[in-house]
Structures are given as C-alpha cells and as structure tokens.
Amino acid sequence: MHDFVPEDMINAVVEADSTEALFEMIGHEVPTQVKGAYYVLGGNDEKTIDCVIYDPQKNIVYKRRGSSQGIFVFETSGPGEYSIIFNNRRSKIDLSVTLALHTYEEKEEIKQLSLIHI
C-alpha cells in the first residue's frame, strides 16, 4: 500500500471458536480514506481468520474470509464508531492477530482501539 504509515497498532489473541471486536472512533466530517492491514502470526492455510469492518451505520465497508492476512482501504461514511471484527471459527487453535490502522486523524495520548471478547 503506497504511503501507508500506521498510526495505531494492536495485537489481539482471538481464541479458537470465538470472535474479537475492536472499535475505532473516527471523527472525520467529510469522507476520508482509511487504510489498514492485519495478519495472523505464523499464518498459513490452517491459521486463517475472517475479518469484517462496519461503519457507524453498521454497513459493511470491508469483508474477507479465510485468510491469514488482509489489506483494506475504505472511505469513511461519517463520524462515529467503526467496528473491526475478527472471527476465528475455522482454526482449532488460538490465533494472534496484529492490526495496523491509519485514519489520518490527530490522535490524543489515550488509546483509540478497544478490545472486547465476545
């Protein structure tokens, strides 16, 4: 991805047969391009994950199934909470996933990503 310099990075363990949800507050009032990437540590054909990203209106802006990595680029639909969902229903083991994200916003010193185990 050209000019991709992540401003946020997080590692999450997605346990076998579970889902992890990450949330990013994005405040852009006008449509703005968001770039990101994720990968499963040691990913291969048996270590894959599903990823879906929802905008604040719960519309899908990115979806990829059964992959150990993904690159996404989408336009914001407005300010609000964007949901990044990782689903580990295919692997029989816990997976460590790294997410890198660039929203082109000025960040405060507080954490912008929150991890919730579902």
Side-chain angles (χ1 to χ4, degrees):
M1 214 173 353
H2 181 67
D3 294 334
F4 178 64
V5 179
E7 61 191 13
D8 287 324
M9 288 187 78
I10 189 169
N11 291 318
V13 174
V14 185
E15 295 177 359
D17 201 33
S18 72
T19 300
E20 293 291 335
L22 302 150
F23 302 97
E24 176 77 11
M25 290 299 297
I26 299 176
H28 293 294
E29 296 291 332
V30 297
T32 304
Q33 191 175 71
V34 171
K35 295 179 180 181
Y38 65 90
Y39 68 93
V40 175
L41 183 64
N44 57 35
D45 289 343
E46 283 124 30
K47 290 183 176 181
T48 64
I49 203 155
D50 299 338
C51 179
V52 180
I53 301 176
Y54 296 94
D55 70 6
Q57 294 76 38
K58 304 302 178 212
N59 298 310
I60 294 173
V61 296
Y62 174 83
K63 182 185 213 179
R64 185 164 184 171
R65 293 188 175 171
S67 182
S68 61
Q69 61 187 353
I71 295 173
F72 54 85
V73 178
F74 64 87
E75 293 284 321
T76 59
S77 58
E81 186 175 76
Y82 287 74
S83 307
I84 305 162
I85 311 298
F86 291 112
N87 186 323
N88 183 9
R89 304 283 182 203
R90 298 172 190 271
S91 297
K92 303 296 182 201
I93 60 172
D94 298 350
L95 298 175
S96 180
V97 180
T98 298
L99 171 69
L101 187 65
H102 191 93
T103 63
Y104 300 91
E105 284 191 305
E106 293 295 323
K107 298 290 182 178
E108 297 179 23
E109 288 296 318
I110 60 172
K111 286 274 189 198
Q112 295 294 317
L113 290 172
S114 303
L115 179 65
I116 296 178
H117 177 72
I118 300 174

Short mmCIF file of all heavy atoms in Angstrom, two decimals, residues 45-102:
data_model
loop_
_atom_site.label_atom_id
_atom_site.label_comp_id
_atom_site.label_asym_id
_atom_site.label_seq_id
_atom_site.Cartn_x
_atom_site.Cartn_y
_atom_site.Cartn_z
N ASP A 45 -2.38 -21.91 5.64
CA ASP A 45 -3.71 -22.39 5.22
C ASP A 45 -4.56 -22.88 6.38
O ASP A 45 -5.79 -22.92 6.28
CB ASP A 45 -3.57 -23.50 4.18
CG ASP A 45 -3.08 -22.97 2.84
OD1 ASP A 45 -3.15 -21.75 2.62
OD2 ASP A 45 -2.61 -23.79 2.03
N GLU A 46 -3.93 -23.30 7.48
CA GLU A 46 -4.68 -23.77 8.65
C GLU A 46 -4.87 -22.70 9.71
O GLU A 46 -5.64 -22.88 10.63
CB GLU A 46 -3.99 -24.99 9.26
CG GLU A 46 -4.22 -26.26 8.47
CD GLU A 46 -2.91 -26.89 8.07
OE1 GLU A 46 -1.92 -26.74 8.79
OE2 GLU A 46 -2.87 -27.53 7.01
N LYS A 47 -4.16 -21.59 9.60
CA LYS A 47 -4.27 -20.48 10.55
C LYS A 47 -4.86 -19.28 9.82
O LYS A 47 -4.15 -18.37 9.40
CB LYS A 47 -2.90 -20.12 11.13
CG LYS A 47 -2.33 -21.12 12.06
CD LYS A 47 -1.02 -20.58 12.62
CE LYS A 47 -0.41 -21.49 13.64
NZ LYS A 47 0.84 -20.93 14.17
N THR A 48 -6.17 -19.31 9.63
CA THR A 48 -6.84 -18.22 8.92
C THR A 48 -7.94 -17.62 9.79
O THR A 48 -8.39 -18.24 10.77
CB THR A 48 -7.47 -18.71 7.60
OG1 THR A 48 -8.49 -19.66 7.88
CG2 THR A 48 -6.41 -19.31 6.69
N ILE A 49 -8.36 -16.44 9.42
CA ILE A 49 -9.35 -15.70 10.20
C ILE A 49 -10.30 -14.99 9.24
O ILE A 49 -9.95 -14.73 8.09
CB ILE A 49 -8.62 -14.71 11.14
CG1 ILE A 49 -9.49 -14.35 12.32
CG2 ILE A 49 -8.11 -13.50 10.40
CD1 ILE A 49 -8.69 -13.91 13.51
N ASP A 50 -11.49 -14.68 9.71
CA ASP A 50 -12.43 -13.87 8.96
C ASP A 50 -12.38 -12.46 9.54
O ASP A 50 -12.25 -12.29 10.76
CB ASP A 50 -13.86 -14.40 9.09
CG ASP A 50 -14.03 -15.81 8.56
OD1 ASP A 50 -13.19 -16.23 7.74
OD2 ASP A 50 -14.99 -16.47 8.96
N CYS A 51 -12.49 -11.45 8.68
CA CYS A 51 -12.48 -10.05 9.13
C CYS A 51 -13.61 -9.30 8.44
O CYS A 51 -13.78 -9.40 7.22
CB CYS A 51 -11.14 -9.39 8.81
SG CYS A 51 -11.05 -7.65 9.30
N VAL A 52 -14.38 -8.55 9.24
CA VAL A 52 -15.44 -7.69 8.71
C VAL A 52 -15.31 -6.34 9.41
O VAL A 52 -15.11 -6.28 10.62
CB VAL A 52 -16.85 -8.26 8.96
CG1 VAL A 52 -17.92 -7.34 8.41
CG2 VAL A 52 -16.99 -9.65 8.38
N ILE A 53 -15.42 -5.26 8.63
CA ILE A 53 -15.39 -3.91 9.20
C ILE A 53 -16.72 -3.24 8.89
O ILE A 53 -17.18 -3.25 7.75
CB ILE A 53 -14.22 -3.08 8.63
CG1 ILE A 53 -12.89 -3.79 8.92
CG2 ILE A 53 -14.23 -1.66 9.23
CD1 ILE A 53 -11.68 -3.12 8.32
N TYR A 54 -17.33 -2.65 9.93
CA TYR A 54 -18.61 -1.96 9.81
C TYR A 54 -18.42 -0.47 10.07
O TYR A 54 -17.63 -0.09 10.95
CB TYR A 54 -19.61 -2.48 10.83
CG TYR A 54 -19.99 -3.92 10.65
CD1 TYR A 54 -19.33 -4.93 11.35
CD2 TYR A 54 -21.03 -4.29 9.80
CE1 TYR A 54 -19.70 -6.26 11.20
CE2 TYR A 54 -21.39 -5.62 9.65
CZ TYR A 54 -20.72 -6.59 10.35
OH TYR A 54 -21.08 -7.91 10.20
N ASP A 55 -19.16 0.35 9.35
CA ASP A 55 -19.16 1.78 9.63
C ASP A 55 -20.16 2.06 10.77
O ASP A 55 -20.79 1.13 11.28
CB ASP A 55 -19.46 2.59 8.36
CG ASP A 55 -20.89 2.48 7.86
OD1 ASP A 55 -21.75 1.87 8.53
OD2 ASP A 55 -21.16 3.02 6.77
N PRO A 56 -20.30 3.31 11.22
CA PRO A 56 -21.20 3.60 12.34
C PRO A 56 -22.67 3.24 12.09
O PRO A 56 -23.43 3.02 13.03
CB PRO A 56 -21.04 5.11 12.54
CG PRO A 56 -19.69 5.42 12.01
CD PRO A 56 -19.50 4.48 10.85
N GLN A 57 -23.07 3.16 10.82
CA GLN A 57 -24.44 2.80 10.48
C GLN A 57 -24.60 1.28 10.32
O GLN A 57 -25.63 0.80 9.88
CB GLN A 57 -24.90 3.51 9.20
CG GLN A 57 -25.01 5.01 9.32
CD GLN A 57 -23.64 5.70 9.29
OE1 GLN A 57 -22.73 5.30 8.56
NE2 GLN A 57 -23.49 6.72 10.11
N LYS A 58 -23.54 0.53 10.64
CA LYS A 58 -23.49 -0.94 10.55
C LYS A 58 -23.51 -1.45 9.11
O LYS A 58 -23.91 -2.59 8.85
CB LYS A 58 -24.61 -1.59 11.37
CG LYS A 58 -24.61 -1.18 12.83
CD LYS A 58 -23.29 -1.50 13.49
CE LYS A 58 -23.29 -1.03 14.93
NZ LYS A 58 -21.99 -0.63 15.40
N ASN A 59 -23.05 -0.63 8.17
CA ASN A 59 -22.84 -1.07 6.79
C ASN A 59 -21.46 -1.70 6.70
O ASN A 59 -20.51 -1.21 7.30
CB ASN A 59 -22.93 0.10 5.81
CG ASN A 59 -24.29 0.74 5.82
OD1 ASN A 59 -25.30 0.07 5.70
ND2 ASN A 59 -24.31 2.06 5.96
N ILE A 60 -21.33 -2.76 5.93
CA ILE A 60 -20.03 -3.42 5.74
C ILE A 60 -19.19 -2.59 4.78
O ILE A 60 -19.62 -2.30 3.67
CB ILE A 60 -20.21 -4.85 5.20
CG1 ILE A 60 -20.92 -5.72 6.24
CG2 ILE A 60 -18.86 -5.46 4.82
CD1 ILE A 60 -21.29 -7.11 5.75
N VAL A 61 -17.98 -2.21 5.24
CA VAL A 61 -17.06 -1.47 4.38
C VAL A 61 -15.87 -2.34 3.94
O VAL A 61 -15.13 -1.96 3.04
CB VAL A 61 -16.55 -0.17 5.05
CG1 VAL A 61 -17.71 0.80 5.27
CG2 VAL A 61 -15.82 -0.44 6.34
N TYR A 62 -15.71 -3.50 4.59
CA TYR A 62 -14.65 -4.45 4.21
C TYR A 62 -15.05 -5.83 4.72
O TYR A 62 -15.59 -5.96 5.82
CB TYR A 62 -13.32 -4.05 4.84
CG TYR A 62 -12.22 -5.06 4.61
CD1 TYR A 62 -11.48 -5.07 3.43
CD2 TYR A 62 -11.93 -6.02 5.57
CE1 TYR A 62 -10.48 -6.01 3.22
CE2 TYR A 62 -10.93 -6.96 5.37
CZ TYR A 62 -10.21 -6.95 4.19
OH TYR A 62 -9.22 -7.88 3.99
N LYS A 63 -14.74 -6.85 3.92
CA LYS A 63 -15.02 -8.22 4.34
C LYS A 63 -14.05 -9.16 3.64
O LYS A 63 -13.85 -9.06 2.42
CB LYS A 63 -16.43 -8.58 3.96
CG LYS A 63 -16.84 -9.98 4.39
CD LYS A 63 -18.16 -10.27 3.86
CE LYS A 63 -19.25 -10.91 4.12
NZ LYS A 63 -20.43 -11.14 3.65
N ARG A 64 -13.45 -10.04 4.42
CA ARG A 64 -12.56 -11.07 3.86
C ARG A 64 -12.67 -12.30 4.75
O ARG A 64 -12.60 -12.19 5.97
CB ARG A 64 -11.12 -10.56 3.82
CG ARG A 64 -10.20 -11.55 3.13
CD ARG A 64 -8.91 -10.92 2.76
NE ARG A 64 -8.11 -11.90 2.02
CZ ARG A 64 -7.01 -11.60 1.41
NH1 ARG A 64 -6.55 -10.37 1.43
NH2 ARG A 64 -6.33 -12.52 0.78
N ARG A 65 -12.80 -13.45 4.11
CA ARG A 65 -12.97 -14.70 4.86
C ARG A 65 -11.81 -15.65 4.58
O ARG A 65 -11.29 -15.71 3.47
CB ARG A 65 -14.27 -15.38 4.46
CG ARG A 65 -15.48 -14.61 4.89
CD ARG A 65 -16.72 -15.40 4.65
NE ARG A 65 -17.84 -14.64 5.19
CZ ARG A 65 -19.08 -14.96 5.01
NH1 ARG A 65 -19.39 -16.01 4.29
NH2 ARG A 65 -20.03 -14.22 5.53
N GLY A 66 -11.45 -16.40 5.62
CA GLY A 66 -10.49 -17.49 5.47
C GLY A 66 -9.13 -17.08 4.97
O GLY A 66 -8.58 -17.74 4.11
N SER A 67 -8.58 -16.01 5.53
CA SER A 67 -7.27 -15.54 5.10
C SER A 67 -6.39 -15.29 6.32
O SER A 67 -6.88 -14.93 7.39
CB SER A 67 -7.41 -14.26 4.28
OG SER A 67 -6.14 -13.83 3.84
N SER A 68 -5.08 -15.43 6.15
CA SER A 68 -4.16 -15.15 7.25
C SER A 68 -3.70 -13.70 7.25
O SER A 68 -2.98 -13.28 8.16
CB SER A 68 -2.95 -16.09 7.17
OG SER A 68 -2.25 -15.88 5.96
N GLN A 69 -4.15 -12.92 6.24
CA GLN A 69 -3.77 -11.51 6.19
C GLN A 69 -4.75 -10.74 5.31
O GLN A 69 -5.46 -11.34 4.50
CB GLN A 69 -2.37 -11.34 5.65
CG GLN A 69 -2.19 -11.86 4.25
CD GLN A 69 -0.75 -11.83 3.81
OE1 GLN A 69 0.11 -11.30 4.50
NE2 GLN A 69 -0.46 -12.38 2.66
N GLY A 70 -4.76 -9.44 5.48
CA GLY A 70 -5.62 -8.62 4.63
C GLY A 70 -5.17 -7.18 4.64
O GLY A 70 -4.59 -6.70 5.62
N ILE A 71 -5.42 -6.50 3.55
CA ILE A 71 -5.17 -5.06 3.41
C ILE A 71 -6.50 -4.43 3.06
O ILE A 71 -7.21 -4.92 2.18
CB ILE A 71 -4.13 -4.78 2.31
CG1 ILE A 71 -2.78 -5.36 2.71
CG2 ILE A 71 -4.03 -3.29 2.03
CD1 ILE A 71 -1.73 -5.29 1.61
N PHE A 72 -6.85 -3.35 3.76
CA PHE A 72 -8.12 -2.70 3.45
C PHE A 72 -7.94 -1.21 3.27
O PHE A 72 -7.07 -0.58 3.87
CB PHE A 72 -9.18 -3.00 4.52
CG PHE A 72 -8.76 -2.68 5.93
CD1 PHE A 72 -8.89 -1.41 6.45
CD2 PHE A 72 -8.25 -3.68 6.74
CE1 PHE A 72 -8.52 -1.12 7.75
CE2 PHE A 72 -7.87 -3.41 8.05
CZ PHE A 72 -8.00 -2.13 8.55
N VAL A 73 -8.78 -0.66 2.41
CA VAL A 73 -8.86 0.77 2.16
C VAL A 73 -10.34 1.07 1.98
O VAL A 73 -11.02 0.40 1.20
CB VAL A 73 -8.09 1.18 0.88
CG1 VAL A 73 -8.25 2.67 0.62
CG2 VAL A 73 -6.63 0.80 0.97
N PHE A 74 -10.86 2.03 2.75
CA PHE A 74 -12.26 2.41 2.59
C PHE A 74 -12.44 3.89 2.90
O PHE A 74 -11.61 4.50 3.55
CB PHE A 74 -13.19 1.55 3.46
CG PHE A 74 -12.98 1.71 4.95
CD1 PHE A 74 -13.63 2.70 5.67
CD2 PHE A 74 -12.14 0.85 5.63
CE1 PHE A 74 -13.43 2.85 7.03
CE2 PHE A 74 -11.94 0.97 7.01
CZ PHE A 74 -12.59 1.97 7.71
N GLU A 75 -13.52 4.44 2.39
CA GLU A 75 -13.89 5.83 2.65
C GLU A 75 -14.82 5.86 3.86
O GLU A 75 -15.76 5.06 3.94
CB GLU A 75 -14.62 6.45 1.45
CG GLU A 75 -13.77 6.62 0.22
CD GLU A 75 -12.80 7.80 0.33
OE1 GLU A 75 -13.19 8.85 0.88
OE2 GLU A 75 -11.67 7.66 -0.15
N THR A 76 -14.58 6.79 4.78
CA THR A 76 -15.48 6.93 5.90
C THR A 76 -16.84 7.42 5.40
O THR A 76 -16.92 8.17 4.43
CB THR A 76 -14.93 7.91 6.95
OG1 THR A 76 -14.73 9.18 6.35
CG2 THR A 76 -13.63 7.40 7.55
N SER A 77 -17.89 6.99 6.07
CA SER A 77 -19.24 7.42 5.71
C SER A 77 -19.72 8.54 6.62
O SER A 77 -20.79 9.08 6.43
CB SER A 77 -20.21 6.24 5.80
OG SER A 77 -20.19 5.71 7.12
N GLY A 78 -18.90 8.89 7.60
CA GLY A 78 -19.24 9.93 8.56
C GLY A 78 -18.56 9.63 9.88
O GLY A 78 -17.95 8.57 10.05
N PRO A 79 -18.65 10.56 10.81
CA PRO A 79 -18.01 10.34 12.10
C PRO A 79 -18.74 9.28 12.91
O PRO A 79 -19.94 9.07 12.74
CB PRO A 79 -18.09 11.72 12.77
CG PRO A 79 -19.25 12.39 12.12
CD PRO A 79 -19.32 11.85 10.72
N GLY A 80 -17.98 8.61 13.78
CA GLY A 80 -18.59 7.62 14.66
C GLY A 80 -17.68 6.45 14.92
O GLY A 80 -16.49 6.47 14.61
N GLU A 81 -18.26 5.41 15.47
CA GLU A 81 -17.51 4.23 15.87
C GLU A 81 -17.51 3.18 14.75
O GLU A 81 -18.56 2.70 14.34
CB GLU A 81 -18.14 3.62 17.13
CG GLU A 81 -17.37 2.47 17.71
CD GLU A 81 -17.98 2.00 19.01
OE1 GLU A 81 -19.02 1.32 18.96
OE2 GLU A 81 -17.42 2.34 20.07
N TYR A 82 -16.32 2.84 14.28
CA TYR A 82 -16.13 1.82 13.27
C TYR A 82 -15.75 0.52 13.99
O TYR A 82 -14.93 0.54 14.91
CB TYR A 82 -15.06 2.23 12.26
CG TYR A 82 -15.56 3.31 11.33
CD1 TYR A 82 -15.72 4.62 11.77
CD2 TYR A 82 -15.91 3.02 10.02
CE1 TYR A 82 -16.21 5.61 10.94
CE2 TYR A 82 -16.40 4.00 9.17
CZ TYR A 82 -16.55 5.30 9.64
OH TYR A 82 -17.05 6.26 8.80
N SER A 83 -16.35 -0.59 13.60
CA SER A 83 -16.14 -1.89 14.25
C SER A 83 -15.30 -2.79 13.36
O SER A 83 -15.61 -2.96 12.19
CB SER A 83 -17.49 -2.57 14.51
OG SER A 83 -18.36 -1.72 15.21
N ILE A 84 -14.25 -3.35 13.94
CA ILE A 84 -13.38 -4.29 13.24
C ILE A 84 -13.54 -5.63 13.95
O ILE A 84 -13.17 -5.77 15.11
CB ILE A 84 -11.92 -3.81 13.26
CG1 ILE A 84 -11.82 -2.39 12.69
CG2 ILE A 84 -11.02 -4.79 12.52
CD1 ILE A 84 -10.56 -1.66 13.04
N ILE A 85 -14.12 -6.60 13.24
CA ILE A 85 -14.50 -7.87 13.85
C ILE A 85 -13.62 -8.98 13.28
O ILE A 85 -13.56 -9.17 12.06
CB ILE A 85 -15.98 -8.20 13.55
CG1 ILE A 85 -16.89 -7.00 13.86
CG2 ILE A 85 -16.41 -9.47 14.29
CD1 ILE A 85 -16.90 -6.56 15.31
N PHE A 86 -12.96 -9.71 14.17
CA PHE A 86 -12.17 -10.88 13.79
C PHE A 86 -12.88 -12.13 14.30
O PHE A 86 -13.20 -12.21 15.49
CB PHE A 86 -10.75 -10.82 14.36
CG PHE A 86 -9.90 -9.75 13.77
CD1 PHE A 86 -9.51 -8.66 14.52
CD2 PHE A 86 -9.48 -9.84 12.45
CE1 PHE A 86 -8.72 -7.66 13.97
CE2 PHE A 86 -8.69 -8.84 11.89
CZ PHE A 86 -8.31 -7.75 12.66
N ASN A 87 -13.09 -13.09 13.42
CA ASN A 87 -13.80 -14.31 13.75
C ASN A 87 -12.88 -15.50 13.52
O ASN A 87 -12.39 -15.70 12.42
CB ASN A 87 -15.06 -14.41 12.88
CG ASN A 87 -15.94 -15.56 13.25
OD1 ASN A 87 -15.48 -16.63 13.61
ND2 ASN A 87 -17.23 -15.34 13.16
N ASN A 88 -12.66 -16.29 14.57
CA ASN A 88 -11.79 -17.47 14.50
C ASN A 88 -12.62 -18.74 14.64
O ASN A 88 -12.51 -19.46 15.61
CB ASN A 88 -10.71 -17.40 15.58
CG ASN A 88 -9.74 -18.55 15.50
OD1 ASN A 88 -9.73 -19.32 14.56
ND2 ASN A 88 -8.90 -18.67 16.52
N ARG A 89 -13.49 -18.98 13.69
CA ARG A 89 -14.34 -20.18 13.72
C ARG A 89 -13.74 -21.32 12.89
O ARG A 89 -14.20 -22.44 12.98
CB ARG A 89 -15.73 -19.85 13.19
CG ARG A 89 -16.42 -18.73 13.90
CD ARG A 89 -16.97 -19.14 15.22
NE ARG A 89 -17.65 -17.99 15.83
CZ ARG A 89 -17.86 -17.86 17.10
NH1 ARG A 89 -17.44 -18.78 17.94
NH2 ARG A 89 -18.49 -16.81 17.58
N ARG A 90 -12.74 -21.04 12.10
CA ARG A 90 -12.15 -22.06 11.22
C ARG A 90 -11.00 -22.81 11.88
O ARG A 90 -10.86 -24.00 11.69
CB ARG A 90 -11.64 -21.41 9.93
CG ARG A 90 -12.73 -20.74 9.13
CD ARG A 90 -12.12 -19.94 7.98
NE ARG A 90 -13.09 -19.10 7.33
CZ ARG A 90 -13.84 -19.47 6.31
NH1 ARG A 90 -13.74 -20.68 5.84
NH2 ARG A 90 -14.71 -18.64 5.79
N SER A 91 -10.15 -22.10 12.60
CA SER A 91 -8.98 -22.72 13.23
C SER A 91 -9.38 -23.37 14.55
O SER A 91 -10.28 -22.90 15.24
CB SER A 91 -7.89 -21.69 13.49
OG SER A 91 -7.42 -21.15 12.28
N LYS A 92 -8.68 -24.40 14.90
CA LYS A 92 -8.94 -25.10 16.16
C LYS A 92 -8.01 -24.63 17.26
O LYS A 92 -7.98 -25.21 18.34
CB LYS A 92 -8.80 -26.61 15.96
CG LYS A 92 -9.69 -27.19 14.89
CD LYS A 92 -11.14 -27.04 15.26
CE LYS A 92 -12.02 -27.68 14.20
NZ LYS A 92 -13.37 -27.18 14.20
N ILE A 93 -7.23 -23.57 16.97
CA ILE A 93 -6.28 -23.04 17.95
C ILE A 93 -6.48 -21.53 18.10
O ILE A 93 -7.08 -20.88 17.24
CB ILE A 93 -4.82 -23.34 17.54
CG1 ILE A 93 -4.51 -22.70 16.18
CG2 ILE A 93 -4.55 -24.83 17.51
CD1 ILE A 93 -3.05 -22.77 15.78
N ASP A 94 -5.95 -20.97 19.20
CA ASP A 94 -5.97 -19.52 19.39
C ASP A 94 -5.03 -18.88 18.38
O ASP A 94 -3.98 -19.44 18.06
CB ASP A 94 -5.52 -19.16 20.80
CG ASP A 94 -6.43 -19.72 21.89
OD1 ASP A 94 -7.53 -20.22 21.55
OD2 ASP A 94 -6.04 -19.66 23.07
N LEU A 95 -5.42 -17.70 17.86
CA LEU A 95 -4.60 -17.00 16.88
C LEU A 95 -4.25 -15.61 17.40
O LEU A 95 -5.09 -14.92 17.96
CB LEU A 95 -5.36 -16.87 15.55
CG LEU A 95 -5.76 -18.16 14.86
CD1 LEU A 95 -6.60 -17.86 13.63
CD2 LEU A 95 -4.53 -18.97 14.49
N SER A 96 -3.00 -15.22 17.17
CA SER A 96 -2.55 -13.87 17.49
C SER A 96 -2.63 -13.03 16.22
O SER A 96 -2.02 -13.37 15.20
CB SER A 96 -1.11 -13.90 18.02
OG SER A 96 -0.68 -12.59 18.32
N VAL A 97 -3.40 -11.94 16.28
CA VAL A 97 -3.63 -11.09 15.12
C VAL A 97 -3.07 -9.70 15.41
O VAL A 97 -3.31 -9.13 16.47
CB VAL A 97 -5.13 -10.98 14.81
CG1 VAL A 97 -5.37 -10.09 13.60
CG2 VAL A 97 -5.74 -12.35 14.58
N THR A 98 -2.31 -9.16 14.45
CA THR A 98 -1.80 -7.79 14.54
C THR A 98 -2.60 -6.94 13.56
O THR A 98 -2.75 -7.30 12.40
CB THR A 98 -0.31 -7.73 14.19
OG1 THR A 98 0.41 -8.52 15.15
CG2 THR A 98 0.21 -6.29 14.24
N LEU A 99 -3.10 -5.80 14.05
CA LEU A 99 -3.86 -4.86 13.24
C LEU A 99 -3.10 -3.53 13.21
O LEU A 99 -2.70 -3.01 14.26
CB LEU A 99 -5.25 -4.63 13.82
CG LEU A 99 -6.08 -3.50 13.20
CD1 LEU A 99 -6.49 -3.86 11.79
CD2 LEU A 99 -7.29 -3.20 14.06
N ALA A 100 -2.89 -3.00 12.01
CA ALA A 100 -2.28 -1.68 11.83
C ALA A 100 -3.32 -0.81 11.13
O ALA A 100 -3.96 -1.24 10.17
CB ALA A 100 -1.02 -1.78 10.97
N LEU A 101 -3.48 0.44 11.61
CA LEU A 101 -4.55 1.29 11.11
C LEU A 101 -4.08 2.72 10.98
O LEU A 101 -3.33 3.22 11.83
CB LEU A 101 -5.73 1.22 12.09
CG LEU A 101 -7.03 1.87 11.73
CD1 LEU A 101 -7.65 1.19 10.52
CD2 LEU A 101 -7.99 1.83 12.89
N HIS A 102 -4.51 3.38 9.91
CA HIS A 102 -4.21 4.80 9.71
C HIS A 102 -5.49 5.51 9.31
O HIS A 102 -6.05 5.23 8.25
CB HIS A 102 -3.14 5.00 8.64
CG HIS A 102 -2.62 6.39 8.58
ND1 HIS A 102 -1.52 6.80 9.28
CD2 HIS A 102 -3.08 7.49 7.95
CE1 HIS A 102 -1.31 8.08 9.05
NE2 HIS A 102 -2.24 8.53 8.25
#
